Amino acid sequence: MKSLLFLLLLTFASVATAQAQSVAPAPVADAPDKARPVQVVEAACGQCRLGLPGKSCDLAVRIKDKAYFMEGTGIDSHGDAHAQDGFCNAIRRAEVQGEVMNNRFVATYFKLLPEGQAGR
């Protein structure tokens, strides 16, 4: 009986862990909303490059000299964050739409620009 209970508990824990790891940020739109302005901002790891507090690598943007953590897209959604041109090693430019809410930038559109491209 103890073996059956242990197996049941182990199975439940495995399923719960798998579901928790599969939660991803809500995807942003593939194209900008033509009725709203698109901003070109700096994007990078908030902790590694933009001076924000924290203990893990999280995507952030700098708008008008102020950095904000992002919601709507994640640091690993745009390639390896620790690659030479990744967000933890380089500040990149991106086109974004969204708004600052509760001191975070909530993105509805995010497009990482190629190196050296200024944007629209």
Side-chain angles (χ1 to χ4, degrees):
M1 182 68 179
K2 287 182 181 179
S3 298
L4 182 59
L5 184 59
F6 179 73
L7 183 60
L8 184 61
L9 184 62
L10 185 62
T11 302
F12 177 74
S14 298
V15 169
T17 301
Q19 287 178 342
Q21 291 176 350
S22 67
V23 174
V28 294
D30 291 333
D33 179 349
K34 293 181 181 182
R36 299 179 65 198
V38 173
Q39 300 178 65
V40 177
V41 300
E42 294 179 319
C45 175
Q47 293 85 344
C48 296
R49 293 286 164 210
L50 299 182
L52 292 172
K55 295 183 180 181
S56 65
C57 297
D58 297 298
L59 186 58
V61 292
R62 184 164 33 216
I63 302 170
K64 297 180 183 175
D65 296 324
K66 181 154 175 46
Y68 302 94
F69 284 118
M70 286 197 63
E71 290 184 22
T73 189
I75 196 164
D76 292 319
S77 299
H78 307 281
D80 180 2
H82 295 101
Q84 182 178 356
D85 64 345
F87 290 127
C88 291
N89 294 312
I91 296 175
R92 302 282 305 271
R93 303 206 34 92
E95 293 180 344
V96 298
Q97 281 182 329
E99 60 185 303
V100 176
M101 292 174 34
N102 298 323
N103 208 34
R104 296 180 71 83
F105 184 78
V106 180
T108 55
Y109 171 73
F110 182 94
K111 178 184 175 191
L112 187 62
L113 296 174
E115 295 280 338
Q117 186 172 339
R120 295 176 185 229

